[in-house]
Amino acid sequence: MTVKRSARRRTVALQVRPGAVTLYAPERVPLSQLEALLNQRQDWVKRHLAQYAARPVSGQSYMDGAEVPFLGDTLTLRLEDDRRAAVRLGQALLLPSAAPERALSAWTRAACLVPYTALVTEYAARLGAAERLGTVRVSDTSTRWGSCSSRGDIRLHWKLSRAPLETLRYVALHEAAHLLEMNHSPRYWAHVARIMPDWQTQRRWLREHGQGL
């Protein structure tokens, strides 16, 4: 069990998550009182832990202390009871304990835009297609990792930020190459291979591990 105290907190709350029990309490509440509360709620805690254990394991953990890849770095999640939005401090990402998954995805989508734009812009220039590039956006579609429209607008999925950097670079290059060829013809793949000879390795990684991002 973890006890988290806050000077701003006025009540005691008990939270059960997969494999973890957390007591949120005001600073001045004695530990003996918290232990008494936990003993009173012991059956409730055990029941909820058992229910979590029976569920399928998801590919992503949102518990305090969990680690999340982000653009080649590893961020440690820190859940705070009084927080309303995600904030990054060094290698820590502070999330509201009430809705950590939603806050994490919102923060990631916003944080991806600048590096994604830089990647796509770089590859468009290297391909000689900079003048054809439109707007770069971050996507949340459930069916595609990236897309390129006929107007040159490119979208990359925010979850690619959790992939190895070379895999993210492959998708950025893949979409940038569509600025030259709106198909997957041999000429299209020649453009990709000229910049990234090992593109098939990155494509294979995405097919094998993409569902877990």
Side-chain angles (χ1 to χ4, degrees):
M1 182 191 74
T2 301
V3 177
K4 292 190 175 183
R5 297 180 182 271
S6 170
R8 292 180 292 178
R9 189 171 186 88
R10 296 292 179 266
T11 60
V12 175
L14 182 61
Q15 182 185 71
V16 179
R17 293 186 180 276
V21 179
T22 305
L23 264 174
Y24 297 95
E27 286 186 344
R28 296 184 179 182
V29 175
L31 184 60
S32 59
Q33 184 175 332
L34 298 181
E35 291 175 343
L37 172 64
L38 187 62
N39 287 333
Q40 292 173 4
R41 305 295 300 277
Q42 189 172 29
D43 291 340
W44 180 85
V45 170
K46 289 181 178 179
R47 184 169 65 254
H48 278 74
L49 287 173
Q51 290 173 352
Y52 280 126
R55 296 178 183 177
V57 178
S58 64
Q60 179 64 51
S61 171
Y62 302 98
M63 294 186 296
D64 188 81
E67 295 184 338
V68 175
F70 179 71
L71 299 177
D73 285 336
T74 299
L75 303 182
T76 301
L77 304 186
R78 295 301 178 193
L79 274 57
E80 296 186 345
D81 189 46
D82 299 322
R83 183 164 294 281
R84 294 187 178 183
V87 174
R88 180 177 179 176
L89 293 178
Q91 297 304 107
L93 188 60
L94 312 183
L95 300 175
S97 58
E101 181 177 2
R102 183 172 58 195
L104 175 60
S105 63
W107 178 87
T108 307
R109 287 195 298 271
C112 281
L113 182 57
V114 171
Y116 280 12
T117 301
L119 268 181
V120 173
T121 301
E122 173 193 344
Y123 285 127
R126 293 175 66 181
L127 290 164
E131 73 285 353
R132 302 186 184 186
L133 178 61
T135 303
V136 179
R137 294 186 174 91
V138 179
S139 74
D140 193 20
T141 177
S142 60
T143 58
R144 305 178 71 178
W145 291 114
S147 64
C148 179
S149 73
S150 58
R151 296 188 302 251
D153 296 332
I154 289 179
R155 295 175 180 266
L156 300 178
H157 201 290
W158 66 270
K159 286 188 177 181
L160 287 168
S161 65
R162 298 175 179 170
L165 279 178
E166 282 304 302
T167 303
L168 167 60
R169 288 182 175 275
Y170 160 68
V171 181
L173 172 60
H174 183 110
E175 301 308 333
H178 281 309
L179 296 171
L180 299 175
E181 302 285 340
M182 291 297 292
N183 52 55
H184 293 106
S185 64
R187 189 162 61 177
Y188 165 85
W189 289 113
H191 291 307
V192 174
R194 177 168 62 85
I195 306 297
M196 185 178 291
D198 68 336
W199 66 266
Q200 290 180 323
T201 300
Q202 309 310 324
R203 188 185 192 189
R204 187 179 310 115
W205 189 97
L206 199 56
R207 286 178 171 176
E208 293 177 356
H209 305 285
Q211 290 299 108
L213 293 177

